[in-house]
Amino acid sequence: MFSLLPTLVFLTSWLASVLTCADTSDLVPLWRAYNGGVVDHFYTTNVTEMESALTQDGYSLEGSSAYVWTTQETGTTPLYRLFNQDKNDHFYTMSNDEIAEMLSAGWAYDTTPIAGYVYPFSICGAAPIYRMFNPTAVDHFYTMDIAEGEAASGYVNQGIAGYAVLPSVDGSAVVSSPTPYLLPSTVTASSASEATTSSCATTGDAIPLLRAYSSIGTDHFYTTNSSEMSNAVAVDAYTFEGDATFLWATQETNTVPLYRMFNQNVHRPLLHHRCQRSKRRL
Ligand SMILES: *[C@@H]1O[C@H](CO)[C@@H](O)[C@H](O)[C@H]1NC(C)=O
Ligand SMILES: *[C@@H]1O[C@H](CO)[C@@H](O)[C@H](O)[C@H]1NC(C)=O
């Protein structure tokens, strides 16, 4: 009986740390501006810097692109800012691997090397910031509106730059997204992880593994099936928590099945899937 206590204490503190979110009242807008002359999208939380880009450098304000933190809070990670002077391109990433690659390709840390702090995963209601790239003009364009990104002519989807809080039409932060964010089938991984060989699965086929949590049943639930996720939220009182990861719906090169099981006795029977062999592959 008492020997169980350390485990329970550990589990409780682990759950508490997993469920802690950054303070949404500290969020600030990440302003977006565009310069069609040099073809560059520029993002900053610094209003003074944005004003000088507008008045001196030929940029036009395009509003707030996302809400981010200016200091590192629980669960957040730096969104680094790099600049390529020859190509006139601002580049933002949270990937250290990518920074090394971009530094060797002509980009350097910008005057402000950190644009803000974002979540590395879709947690706490945060949604993806998509990164688009125009290889002809050499411009990286970031948007949380996938429809806008997909409509941008000459740009290809390079994946996710980070997870932030959505901007809304009236300028107030939308702190959680009510619907799952599904990536289009054309999505590709970041350039750093794009070095595919014949032994890699096709990244373009990867789809989001959606995550939800039920505090009533104390259960985390994951599925790639958005209808099933909608049911879990609508019928079984789960709260949608975003994309947990990306995986394949069918078995591709070097992938193995990720099985799914359910214990009806430990968790309240909110869902009716038990010991069901999943078709998902990882
Ligand atoms: C904001 O930008 C101005 C002008 O570039 C700069 O002088 C100032 O240090 C920046 N403030 C912060 C907090 O980075
Ligand atoms: C997705 O979930 C719905 C509702 O649970 C189910 O009817 C459907 O068969 C599922 N689709 C796939 C491809 O598993």
Side-chain angles (χ1 to χ4, degrees), residues 229-242:
M229 179 53 79
S230 299
N231 273 345
V233 170
V235 182
D236 300 317
Y238 277 76
T239 303
F240 178 64
E241 293 189 321

Side-chain angles (χ1 to χ4, degrees), residues 65-126:
S65 58
Y67 280 78
V68 300
W69 288 270
T70 52
T71 54
Q72 188 153 27
E73 295 209 14
T74 316
T76 65
T77 192
L79 182 68
Y80 296 101
R81 175 174 141 189
L82 280 71
F83 184 62
N84 185 326
Q85 207 151 13
D86 293 340
K87 308 285 186 191
N88 254 306
D89 180 49
H90 284 91
F91 175 73
Y92 301 80
T93 184
M94 57 176 181
S95 159
N96 285 311
D97 294 343
E98 239 180 10
I99 289 176
E101 185 182 320
M102 298 308 272
L103 291 179
S104 66
W107 278 259
Y109 281 107
D110 207 353
T111 40
T112 303
I114 294 175
Y117 295 83
V118 294
Y119 286 121
F121 313 107
S122 181
I123 53 171
C124 303

Side-chain angles (χ1 to χ4, degrees), residues 1-116:
M1 171 84 166
F2 284 118
S3 64
L4 275 178
L5 267 177
T7 310
L8 286 175
V9 168
F10 169 78
L11 275 179
T12 311
S13 58
W14 178 79
L15 268 180
S17 69
V18 166
L19 295 176
T20 305
C21 299
D23 186 351
T24 50
S25 67
D26 295 341
L27 284 164
V28 297
L30 181 66
W31 300 106
R32 169 175 135 189
Y34 179 64
N35 182 334
V38 297
V39 191
D40 182 46
H41 283 89
F42 168 57
Y43 301 79
T44 183
T45 59
N46 184 332
V47 174
T48 313
E49 191 188 29
M50 180 52 85
E51 277 170 356
S52 103
L54 301 181
T55 56
Q56 293 166 32
D57 303 324
Y59 285 81
S60 303
L61 187 67
E62 294 193 324
S64 59
S65 58
Y67 280 78
V68 300
W69 288 270
T70 52
T71 54
Q72 188 153 27
E73 295 209 14
T74 316
T76 65
T77 192
L79 182 68
Y80 296 101
R81 175 174 141 189
L82 280 71
F83 184 62
N84 185 326
Q85 207 151 13
D86 293 340
K87 308 285 186 191
N88 254 306
D89 180 49
H90 284 91
F91 175 73
Y92 301 80
T93 184
M94 57 176 181
S95 159
N96 285 311
D97 294 343
E98 239 180 10
I99 289 176
E101 185 182 320
M102 298 308 272
L103 291 179
S104 66
W107 278 259
Y109 281 107
D110 207 353
T111 40
T112 303
I114 294 175

